[in-house]
Amino acid sequence: MQAPGKINLLLRVGAPGADGFHPLATVFQAVSLYEDLIAIPGPDIAVRFGGSVDVSGLTTDDSNLAVRAARAVAAHSHVPSGVHMQIEKHVPIAGGMGGGSADAAAALVACNELWGTELDRHAMHELAASLGSDVPFSLTGGTAIGLGRGDDVNQVLTTGRLHWVLVTAEHGLSTPSVYRELDRMREAGEAPPAPDDLTVDADLLRALRSGDAAALAPLLQNDLQVAAISLAPALGETLKQGIAAGALAGIVSGSGPTLAFLVADTDAAHEVRVTLAVAGHQTHKVYGPVHGARVIEH
Ligand code: C5P
């Protein structure tokens, strides 16, 4: 199984509702940085982690999202089945790229396949949304508008590939604290007020449809960016460095602290990577869109 990380090309955040969640208008893009999951039948439901990122802080008990995903499939289909999952993580942890959501999506698809539970798309989507706001998108991948909590997902038409340079940080940011910081800043007048209009502009969709990176660049926008920079001020400096090195635009991904720089082509990606690497940053070159969670081996 393979499930991709994501970046948000647009993330508009409304004022929180009574349930504490913020209504969103977002555009997700799945990018070529993947979580790999191997699932084999087992006596119980268990998960282990490895991979290219530091996994020492991850829990593997019932609070783990992949374990919860497996339990959700078992409960929904009333099969008393076990699975042992090995997840090789490459998407940064608490990085704003939906790595935990990708694990959950991979676990849903893997268990459905392994146990022959034959859940249809609708049932899978419902289970995904119950696990986290970004999990439905991890199932579908591609490029998609997300409304509601981000879990009401609709694909958008795109042409060609967008090239990105990602800058990953050593320490993650907690998603709830970034949302809380945005609320605080808005109340204190330190951030623009919550938009009333939670829609995706037609010019952004047009730029995606035509595959025009230069037209897309000025339209990238993330309401959480100001809050992520407030909690991790060094991000602001790194954004400037990437732009100075030739990126078309730079943006905080989701709740951060991963940064995504849009570049014109692979040559420009190289320039930006070299400059940022010399400044001591960890970079990845990726492209999007890519497919959602899918089986790649049996
Ligand atoms: O849905 P997920 O588990 O990814 O959300 C993590 C936390 O992020 C939520 O508990 C909430 O504090 C915040 N969040 C939010 N509004 C959203 C999505 C997430 O406030 N639309």
Side-chain angles (χ1 to χ4, degrees):
M1 286 293 318
Q2 207 180 42
K6 59 83 186 167
I7 55 182
N8 299 79
L9 313 187
L10 174 76
L11 183 48
R12 284 207 173 116
V13 180
D19 60 1
F21 276 84
H22 297 70
L24 307 179
T26 190
V27 176
F28 297 106
Q29 179 157 84
V31 295
S32 57
L33 191 62
Y34 302 97
E35 306 281 70
D36 291 315
L37 180 149
I38 297 169
I40 54 168
D44 53 3
I45 291 174
V47 66
R48 284 158 39 129
F49 289 102
S52 57
V53 297
D54 178 12
V55 297
S56 55
L58 289 176
T59 60
T60 53
D61 59 13
D62 277 1
S63 66
N64 180 269
L65 213 50
V67 171
R68 287 176 49 208
R71 292 211 186 288
V73 175
H76 187 272
S77 47
H78 310 291
V79 281
S81 305
V83 62
H84 281 196
M85 299 176 281
Q86 169 77 29
I87 299 180
E88 297 295 314
K89 283 194 78 74
H90 304 291
V91 178
I93 292 160
M97 287 192 65
S101 302
D103 297 347
L108 284 176
V109 178
C111 291
N112 193 35
E113 181 86 7
L114 192 69
W115 298 337
T117 37
E118 294 183 4
L119 298 183
D120 61 18
R121 279 168 61 107
H122 179 71
M124 290 286 271
H125 182 97
E126 292 288 302
L127 291 186
S130 76
L131 293 164
S133 312
D134 293 343
V135 185
F137 173 72
S138 302
L139 279 181
T140 51
T143 306
I145 294 176
L147 299 176
R149 294 178 176 190
D151 56 343
D152 175 4
V153 173
N154 281 291
Q155 287 292 316
V156 302
L157 217 59
T158 59
T159 303
R161 258 181 191 179
L162 295 172
H163 297 277
W164 302 92
V165 172
L166 305 177
V167 175
T168 52
E170 209 169 308
H171 301 288
L173 280 174
S174 127
T175 302
S177 8
V178 177
Y179 275 101
R180 265 199 308 274
E181 177 67 358
L182 177 65
D183 293 340
R184 186 199 67 74
M185 292 178 83
R186 281 175 166 169
E187 233 162 79
E190 295 168 24
D196 298 323
D197 170 32
L198 287 173
T199 54
V200 176
D201 299 332
D203 48 357
L204 175 61
L205 297 177
R206 212 173 296 124
L208 286 169
R209 204 158 52 230
S210 62
D212 185 345
L216 179 65
L219 305 175
L220 300 178
Q221 184 206 326
N222 179 358
D223 285 357
L224 290 178
Q225 178 157 317
V226 67
I229 292 175
S230 166
L231 296 175
L235 294 176
E237 201 46 49
T238 313
L239 280 170
K240 284 187 203 140
Q241 287 172 343
I243 301 291
L248 298 171
I251 196 165
V252 168
S253 173
S255 53
T258 303
L259 301 177
F261 291 97
L262 178 62
V263 290
D265 50 36
T266 50
D267 286 348
H270 184 70
E271 288 290 313
V272 172
R273 282 193 80 176
V274 168
T275 304
L276 292 171
V278 167
H281 297 292
Q282 165 122 38
T283 66
H284 303 263
K285 180 169 162 290
V286 298
Y287 60 85
V290 299
H291 58 78
R294 67 172 186 185
V295 178
I296 54 164
E297 57 187 317
H298 283 278

